[in-house]
Amino acid sequence: MLADVRDDFPLLARTVRNGRPLVYLDSGATAQRPRAVLEAEADFLTRSNGAVARGAHLLAEEATEAFEGARADVARLVGAPVEEIVWTSGATAAINLVANGIQNATLGAGGAEADRFRIGPGDRIVVTELEHHANLIPWQQLAARTGAELAWIPVDDAGVLDLSTLAEIVSPSTKVVAFTHASNVTGVITDVAAIVARAREVGALTVLDACQSVPHIPVSFPELGVDFAAFSGHKMLGPTGVGALWGRKELLDALPPSIFGGGAIAVVTMERTTWLEAPTRFEPGTQPVSQAVGMGAAARYLMSLGMENVAAHEARIAQIMREGAASLDGVRLLGPVGGPAAGDVLGLAAVAVEGVHAHDVGQVLDDRGIAARVGHHCAQPLHRRLGLTGSTRASAHVYTTEADAHAFVEALASVRSFFGVTA
Amino acid sequence: MLADVRDDFPLLARTVRNGRPLVYLDSGATAQRPRAVLEAEADFLTRSNGAVARGAHLLAEEATEAFEGARADVARLVGAPVEEIVWTSGATAAINLVANGIQNATLGAGGAEADRFRIGPGDRIVVTELEHHANLIPWQQLAARTGAELAWIPVDDAGVLDLSTLAEIVSPSTKVVAFTHASNVTGVITDVAAIVARAREVGALTVLDACQSVPHIPVSFPELGVDFAAFSGHKMLGPTGVGALWGRKELLDALPPSIFGGGAIAVVTMERTTWLEAPTRFEPGTQPVSQAVGMGAAARYLMSLGMENVAAHEARIAQIMREGAASLDGVRLLGPVGGPAAGDVLGLAAVAVEGVHAHDVGQVLDDRGIAARVGHHCAQPLHRRLGLTGSTRASAHVYTTEADAHAFVEALASVRSFFGVTA
Amino acid sequence: MSSLEQMYQQVIMDHARAAHGRGLVQVDLPAHGESHQVNTTCGDEVTLRVGLEGDTIASLSWEGQGCSISQASISVLAELLDGESLETADETYEAFRALMQAKGEPLDDDREDMLGDATAFVGVGKYPARIKCALLGWVALKDALIQARGASSSATEGDKA
Amino acid sequence: MSSLEQMYQQVIMDHARAAHGRGLVQVDLPAHGESHQVNTTCGDEVTLRVGLEGDTIASLSWEGQGCSISQASISVLAELLDGESLETADETYEAFRALMQAKGEPLDDDREDMLGDATAFVGVGKYPARIKCALLGWVALKDALIQARGASSSATEGDKA
Ligand SMILES: Cc1ncc(COP(=O)(O)O)c(C=O)c1O
Ligand SMILES: Cc1ncc(COP(=O)(O)O)c(C=O)c1O
């Protein structure tokens, strides 16, 4: 069981509108940071801040050690060898790094080793209909610019991935399958094994959007069998401005970079550049050093709680919010209702209130001190498919209490009468 | 005159090897942060941290206000309208944003408005021989992939830009001229007006690497007349993980994005995406929010000191270091010796010690508590041109004292005898 | 009155439920304009169409879905400005923007008079994230009027040619 | 002895000034290998070439510029291992790596004996940024030997075919 960790998070003690206590249910967008993370960064900055991997002086040494130590901590969280973790500015950058690397390979970069990444007319890229824009647009645009075809795995009427036509959609011409580990709208955890199995049959690369999984459930990328995976610091209790790409070493070493600068190179002349091995080749310019240190501290914090405990805690929160929301008149719960067993869904609930716009729902919640998210949550196609322009999402993290979950359901229950909408 | 600000910087109070006080002369690589910056970020994180521009709840509102307020502060520092500042993860990312945008335009993105960015065989991209790799490799690779030709403005034997053939090099076929505002090796400030005038004659876009200028001298991009400019938070006393691209609004609105994700878009379907105006179109995914807040605080801190005062202070430091170094036997000062007037050179001195490798020089300095940088400082072509593989660089910032500068010169004076090298 | 009730005043609720000017009307006037605006926070969209007769807004209609604030705001706008002069439209637009910037404080009497029912949106000014909702239709109006004026001046030029 | 003096011991200074094995030697042996390594912190480069006769390093030469630590380290390496067996080379390589990881502490006597002059690099272990310098030549050796072994096994295979 998860210990009560609320006191670790200074921000949660603040009050909001009219002095009400804060009920923070927007962790799916960005999480709050525990003291362990804030202090790791502050200690680094007031003690060891220096240029990483570039100097022979003491601060540079200490900074390098902290930076690489953090990489090892993050690697441990996701079950990966340390040299397979590339620091990025976030998950969005990590996914784009792969997509733009494939584009550059297609344009001739990377030599023979990059052959396996080249795509073009006649090839297919597969995504899903419920992807976050961060894992849709890079592939859509890559397809548009290389002449490859974009196809997608559809969702059913509840917004859940329909894998019944998987073998058709992931056709033999498929080169990349990019999909999320967990939907940031329905909370449903993807059947990764099924998609990976089919992708392997056709020799396609798999790219996993692990933004919503790494912070909330136990994850081992090597065990999942995907080829690349992206996640962000700020959703896993760490800083903004930092994230990571994981990839199999031999793929990372072969993928051409698409952002160029200092530190990532072996030899530079005016005419030519040779790159270092991964992960360094993808880390040009000054890295988010203190942020990486913070993300490492976040990984350690989560591991000290135990990801199994985190998942179990959030499953309980999910249950209260989802069952509570689904039981209300005129409230539609996005995703499966009651279906999945604990652990198969993240600690979140997105709802549409009949006759009341999401923004208005959010306003009622906000008035009660409840911070939830309204809108399309960067998943416009999914909302469109469900006949909605937006929804109201409450999302939990380690610090979310059952009382928070109940407060959400109670506030939700009051919405329709406030707006004079009754069935 | 600049007030003594050392006490504002907690890290500077630490001791290093054998309890020696720290003499931090590596600000050209990364600067230390004043309490005003550390506290701005900490206050934000323990009070207003939330998703920016995406929620209707109080924290989201406060976070958005802090984030946009910081943009206004940074805009003020560089004399620009607020909507012309794009947040990036750093200067390297900012320069790549422009280069990759041009690449995507060339591949057909951006419609008719992006016509002006398209380049190809027969076109020329011009850089200089002293560029930092961050402002060389993106252009070199863009040239390689579009078939454009890369040409460069050479340096003379002292490592100073030689503009005598400017009109030839910036030929009528030139589409982009990318150059640094100040060399991170010689410290010399570029004659921006001359290059801009010629670029305008031929209708070329100008991209300024302002990494080393914005933190140290008064800068107004609109007055300089360039089209784009890039700079980083961490070199201007702000956080790592954040930087900015400035660009003329009509150019930013027309340049196609090259990193794709949530928040930057108007409408997304599975097949198509339409982008928002700049700066938002270039800010996909969760932004470096607390880092932007920190960079805004750094801008305010610098403005409160007065950039004229900062520049004058650093010119005095430069004088001590450069004159001191140049007067030593067997020590070669990179860049002009004694030449430029105060204000024409940054507060830095890079030297090569005859018979002693830069790494060994750095070790002697480090043993005395002096943190300087050794190596090629991400300017391999410049070093090669000067017949060197590396140099030892001391670089100052607002907190650097005259005593620090003297300590550098004294330590330098001891190097050759320590290694038993005498002329 | 709680902030929430101050925001969702009865007049706003009424306008949201039965909105004026909803349903795009065909405009055959040469001076016409149409604007499509999206609230990027929530994806709400509005299309607003105007037609001018001289300096008068002779037709104003719209279509769209959105929150009660955005819907009510467009409804109030339509009620206030359909049939009014361009000058009144510009002034009202400015007054409404000022109300949004006023952080929940009322404006001076002159502008309050001009805004009529639109003063009910005073509470929105306390919620920066919702100002966009209230302005959605007004931004569309502004844009549509620019186009209509452009069309009218090019029509005039055309006459001259 | 200060840390600095511990790092730059006289034997290191001497090797740096008059390095062994400098100047690439032509190798006509079928089992040969060459490796080019770059220290990315400072751009220093070394090219190291080996030739094998059976299990013996019959030729070892190198070329490159660098700091006194890297130059002295390659010199010591050349002096220690030219003419030695592959087994000795592997063991010495491992011992030297261990010395670099030892944070300035001496190794056990057996390994110290094996390292000979190379024990003088003990002080480098305190400076993580300099370990790369000291290892530059050793990494090149390792790589060149892998190639030489590959060449020798493919030569053997060739013999079989
Ligand atoms: C002149 C110059 N340009 C570009 C850069 C790259 O900046 P950053 O590493 O912050 O992206 C630097 C700093 O290393 C620099 O000194
Ligand atoms: C499923 C999913 N993918 C990708 C992202 C993008 O992550 P970031 O904004 O940290 O780059 C998010 C977060 O918004 C997400 O929830």
Side-chain angles (χ1 to χ4, degrees):
Chain A
M1 255 217 29
L2 198 65
D4 182 354
V5 296
R6 271 186 92 80
D7 287 348
D8 292 348
F9 293 83
L11 184 138
L12 297 179
R14 78 163 276 178
T15 57
V16 286
R17 310 266 187 226
N18 312 317
R20 282 175 179 276
L22 170 66
V23 177
Y24 189 72
L25 289 171
D26 200 13
S27 297
T30 200
Q32 299 303 336
R33 307 187 198 171
R35 237 173 236 112
V37 168
L38 297 170
E39 284 168 8
E41 215 179 325
D43 284 353
F44 174 81
L45 288 172
T46 54
R47 192 164 166 77
S48 304
N49 185 40
V52 160
R54 303 224 181 144
H57 59 76
L58 181 66
L59 289 184
E61 282 176 2
E62 290 184 10
T64 305
E65 206 170 299
F67 181 71
E68 294 301 334
R71 194 195 302 271
D73 291 330
V74 168
R76 211 145 42 87
L77 180 69
V78 297
V82 63
E83 66 275 13
E84 295 188 346
I85 295 291
V86 179
W87 294 118
T88 67
S89 65
T92 298
I95 296 166
N96 279 273
L97 190 163
V98 181
N100 285 337
I102 293 174
Q103 172 170 315
N104 281 354
T106 304
L107 291 175
E113 284 174 50
D115 270 344
R116 61 173 115 190
F117 297 116
R118 302 200 166 100
I119 58 167
D123 292 330
R124 179 178 272 199
I125 299 170
V126 173
V127 295
T128 86
E129 201 175 2
L130 55 66
E131 292 310 305
H132 187 281
H133 295 163
N135 201 32
L136 164 60
I137 312 180
W139 306 112
Q140 178 193 81
Q141 297 300 310
L142 177 66
R145 269 199 297 287
T146 57
E149 174 204 13
L150 186 77
W152 52 90
I153 302 170
V155 297
D156 65 20
D157 292 344
V160 177
L161 278 187
D162 171 3
L163 297 183
S164 63
T165 54
L166 180 65
E168 260 162 68
I169 294 164
V170 180
S171 64
S173 65
T174 303
K175 289 284 148 60
V176 179
V177 185
F179 61 101
T180 192
H181 196 180
S183 164
N184 67 321
V185 177
T186 66
V188 176
I189 294 167
T190 307
D191 182 352
V192 176
I195 298 178
V196 165
R198 177 59 187 160
R200 286 197 175 158
E201 274 171 23
V202 301
L205 291 169
T206 46
V207 182
L208 189 73
D209 176 353
C211 262
Q212 294 290 348
S213 58
V214 167
H216 302 289
I217 59 174
V219 170
S220 161
F221 294 135
E223 279 175 26
L224 286 170
V226 292
D227 294 313
F228 294 101
F231 55 109
S232 280
H234 70 102
K235 294 193 202 270
M236 55 173 264
L237 314 177
T240 51
V242 68
L245 173 71
W246 167 82
R248 296 186 187 286
K249 187 63 162 54
E250 76 273 16
L251 292 174
L252 288 177
D253 282 341
L255 186 72
S258 51
I259 309 273
F260 309 105
I265 54 86
V267 181
V268 179
T269 64
M270 293 306 289
E271 295 88 355
R272 260 165 46 82
T273 298
T274 54
W275 278 273
L276 295 173
E277 279 194 2
T280 320
R281 57 162 48 202
F282 298 114
E283 296 177 352
T286 302
Q287 292 296 295
V289 184
S290 69
Q291 292 78 21
V293 169
M295 187 165 168
R300 288 200 307 276
Y301 181 83
L302 283 170
M303 289 186 282
S304 77
L305 297 179
M307 290 308 300
E308 294 287 354
N309 297 328
V310 171
H313 173 75
E314 294 184 27
R316 171 79 189 120
I317 303 292
Q319 195 186 17
I320 298 171
M321 296 197 303
R322 297 182 77 89
E323 283 178 7
S327 73
L328 299 174
D329 266 356
V331 171
R332 172 175 170 199
L333 177 66
L334 277 50
V337 175
D344 293 349
V345 74
L346 299 175
L348 63 79
V351 298
V353 179
E354 213 178 291
V356 185
H357 188 277
H359 253 166
D360 295 321
V361 176
Q363 203 71 46
V364 172
L365 299 182
D366 178 57
D367 194 61
R368 296 183 174 220
I370 301 171
R373 173 130 180 231
V374 298
H376 51 64
H377 320 308
C378 297
Q380 281 189 357
L382 174 62
H383 278 87
R384 203 172 289 119
R385 170 66 177 80
L386 298 176
L388 302 167
T389 57
S391 61
T392 303
R393 182 186 72 185
S395 54
H397 220 307
V398 296
Y399 40 70
T400 307
T401 62
E402 297 191 5
D404 291 342
H406 288 297
F408 169 66
V409 176
E410 271 161 41
L412 208 52
S414 76
V415 167
R416 296 182 84 228
S417 65
F418 179 83
F419 287 101
V421 200
T422 25
Chain B
M1 256 225 17
L2 198 65
D4 181 355
V5 296
R6 272 187 91 79
D7 287 348
D8 292 348
F9 294 81
L11 184 138
L12 297 180
R14 77 164 277 179
T15 56
V16 284
R17 311 266 186 224
N18 312 316
R20 281 174 179 276
L22 170 67
V23 177
Y24 189 72
L25 288 172
D26 199 15
S27 296
T30 200
Q32 299 302 337
R33 307 187 199 172
R35 236 173 236 111
V37 168
L38 297 170
E39 282 167 8
E41 214 179 327
D43 284 353
F44 174 81
L45 288 172
T46 54
R47 193 166 164 76
S48 304
N49 186 41
V52 161
R54 304 225 180 141
H57 59 78
L58 180 66
L59 289 184
E61 283 177 1
E62 290 184 10
T64 305
E65 206 170 300
F67 181 71
E68 294 302 334
R71 194 194 302 271
D73 291 330
V74 168
R76 210 146 41 86
L77 179 69
V78 296
V82 64
E83 67 276 12
E84 295 189 344
I85 295 291
V86 179
W87 294 118
T88 66
S89 64
T92 298
I95 296 166
N96 279 274
L97 190 164
V98 180
N100 284 337
I102 292 174
Q103 172 169 314
N104 281 353
T106 304
L107 292 175
E113 284 175 50
D115 270 345
R116 61 172 113 189
F117 296 116
R118 301 198 169 102
I119 59 168
D123 291 331
R124 180 178 273 199
I125 300 170
V126 173
V127 295
T128 86
E129 200 175 1
L130 55 66
E131 291 311 304
H132 187 281
H133 295 164
N135 201 33
L136 165 59
I137 312 180
W139 306 111
Q140 179 193 79
Q141 297 299 309
L142 177 66
R145 269 198 298 286
T146 57
E149 173 204 15
L150 186 77
W152 52 90
I153 303 170
V155 297
D156 63 21
D157 293 342
V160 178
L161 278 186
D162 171 4
L163 297 183
S164 63
T165 54
L166 180 65
E168 260 162 69
I169 294 164
V170 180
S171 64
S173 65
T174 303
K175 290 284 148 57
V176 178
V177 185
F179 61 102
T180 193
H181 197 179
S183 164
N184 67 320
V185 177
T186 64
V188 176
I189 293 166
T190 308
D191 183 350
V192 176
I195 298 178
V196 164
R198 177 58 189 161
R200 286 198 176 155
E201 274 171 21
V202 301
L205 291 169
T206 46
V207 182
L208 189 72
D209 176 352
C211 263
Q212 294 291 348
S213 57
V214 166
H216 302 289
I217 58 174
V219 170
S220 160
F221 294 135
E223 279 176 26
L224 286 171
V226 291
D227 294 313
F228 294 101
F231 54 110
S232 281
H234 70 102
K235 293 191 202 272
M236 54 173 266
L237 314 178
T240 50
V242 68
L245 174 71
W246 167 82
R248 296 185 185 287
K249 187 64 161 55
E250 76 273 16
L251 292 175
L252 288 177
D253 283 341
L255 187 71
S258 52
I259 308 273
F260 309 105
I265 54 88
V267 181
V268 179
T269 63
M270 292 307 288
E271 295 88 355
R272 260 167 44 83
T273 298
T274 53
W275 278 274
L276 295 173
E277 278 192 2
T280 321
R281 56 163 46 203
F282 298 113
E283 297 176 352
T286 302
Q287 291 296 294
V289 184
S290 69
Q291 291 78 22
V293 169
M295 187 165 168
R300 288 200 308 277
Y301 180 83
L302 284 170
M303 289 186 283
S304 78
L305 297 179
M307 291 308 299
E308 294 288 354
N309 297 328
V310 171
H313 172 75
E314 295 184 26
R316 171 79 189 118
I317 303 292
Q319 196 186 16
I320 296 172
M321 296 196 304
R322 298 181 76 90
E323 283 178 6
S327 72
L328 298 174
D329 266 356
V331 171
R332 173 176 169 196
L333 177 66
L334 276 50
V337 176
D344 292 348
V345 74
L346 298 175
L348 63 80
V351 297
V353 179
E354 212 179 293
V356 186
H357 187 278
H359 252 166
D360 295 321
V361 177
Q363 202 72 44
V364 172
L365 299 181
D366 178 56
D367 194 61
R368 295 181 174 222
I370 301 172
R373 173 131 178 231
V374 297
H376 50 64
H377 320 309
C378 297
Q380 281 189 357
L382 174 61
H383 278 87
R384 204 172 288 119
R385 169 68 176 79
L386 297 176
L388 302 168
T389 56
S391 60
T392 302
R393 182 186 72 186
S395 54
H397 219 308
V398 296
Y399 40 69
T400 307
T401 62
E402 297 191 6
D404 292 341
H406 287 298
F408 169 67
V409 176
E410 270 160 43
L412 208 52
S414 77
V415 167
R416 295 183 85 228
S417 64
F418 180 83
F419 287 101
V421 199
T422 26
Chain C
M1 199 160 60
S2 77
S3 304
L4 194 68
E5 281 159 356
Q6 199 199 359
M7 180 155 175
Y8 292 106
Q9 291 182 31
Q10 197 55 47
V11 46
I12 292 183
M13 299 291 225
D14 292 345
H15 271 282
R17 232 165 284 146
H20 293 262
R22 175 170 257 151
L24 283 176
V25 168
Q26 167 112 22
V27 179
D28 295 323
L29 298 162
H32 61 268
E34 186 175 297
S35 174
H36 176 77
Q37 296 290 329
V38 179
N39 181 344
T40 55
T41 320
C42 55
D44 286 348
E45 306 181 29
V46 64
T47 304
L48 188 145
R49 191 180 286 167
V50 294
L52 302 185
E53 274 176 5
D55 280 346
T56 303
I57 301 176
S59 170
L60 194 169
S61 62
W62 60 279
E63 208 167 70
Q65 295 298 327
C67 63
S68 50
I69 299 296
S70 73
Q71 303 299 291
S73 174
I74 308 176
S75 169
V76 167
L77 170 169
E79 197 182 40
L80 276 174
L81 298 179
D82 196 0
E84 295 295 327
S85 71
L86 287 174
E87 196 187 339
T88 305
D90 287 346
E91 284 173 15
T92 313
Y93 173 86
E94 291 305 332
F96 192 78
R97 280 202 80 99
L99 186 72
M100 290 300 104
Q101 301 311 320
K103 300 191 194 294
E105 298 303 315
L107 298 179
D108 53 78
D109 287 355
D110 281 2
R111 289 191 289 182
E112 293 255 316
D113 286 351
M114 176 177 294
L115 286 174
D117 273 4
T119 55
F121 290 87
V122 62
V124 176
K126 285 191 196 161
Y127 299 91
R130 303 304 300 276
I131 293 176
K132 270 195 202 169
C133 309
L135 282 176
L136 187 66
W138 295 82
V139 170
L141 172 71
K142 177 96 179 173
D143 187 41
L145 287 178
I146 287 172
Q147 290 179 37
R149 281 161 162 152
S152 104
S153 68
S154 64
T156 321
E157 277 165 32
D159 286 356
K160 281 185 209 146
Chain D
M1 198 160 59
S2 78
S3 304
L4 195 66
E5 282 159 356
Q6 200 198 358
M7 181 156 174
Y8 293 106
Q9 292 183 30
Q10 196 55 47
V11 46
I12 292 184
M13 299 291 224
D14 292 345
H15 271 282
R17 233 164 284 148
H20 292 262
R22 177 170 257 152
L24 283 177
V25 169
Q26 168 111 19
V27 179
D28 295 321
L29 299 161
H32 61 268
E34 186 176 297
S35 174
H36 177 77
Q37 296 291 328
V38 180
N39 182 344
T40 55
T41 321
C42 55
D44 286 348
E45 306 181 29
V46 64
T47 302
L48 188 145
R49 190 179 287 168
V50 294
L52 302 185
E53 276 175 6
D55 279 347
T56 303
I57 302 177
S59 171
L60 195 168
S61 62
W62 60 278
E63 208 167 70
Q65 294 297 328
C67 62
S68 49
I69 299 298
S70 73
Q71 303 298 293
S73 175
I74 308 176
S75 168
V76 167
L77 172 167
E79 198 183 38
L80 276 175
L81 298 179
D82 195 0
E84 295 294 328
S85 72
L86 287 174
E87 195 188 338
T88 304
D90 287 347
E91 282 173 18
T92 312
Y93 173 85
E94 290 307 330
F96 193 79
R97 281 202 80 97
L99 186 73
M100 290 300 102
Q101 301 310 319
K103 299 191 194 294
E105 298 302 317
L107 298 180
D108 52 79
D109 287 354
D110 281 359
R111 289 190 291 181
E112 293 254 314
D113 285 351
M114 176 178 293
L115 286 174
D117 274 5
T119 55
F121 290 88
V122 62
V124 176
K126 284 191 195 161
Y127 298 91
R130 301 307 299 279
I131 293 176
K132 269 194 201 169
C133 308
L135 283 177
L136 188 65
W138 296 81
V139 170
L141 172 71
K142 178 95 178 175
D143 188 40
L145 287 178
I146 287 172
Q147 290 179 36
R149 280 159 163 154
S152 106
S153 67
S154 63
T156 318
E157 278 165 31
D159 286 356
K160 280 186 212 149

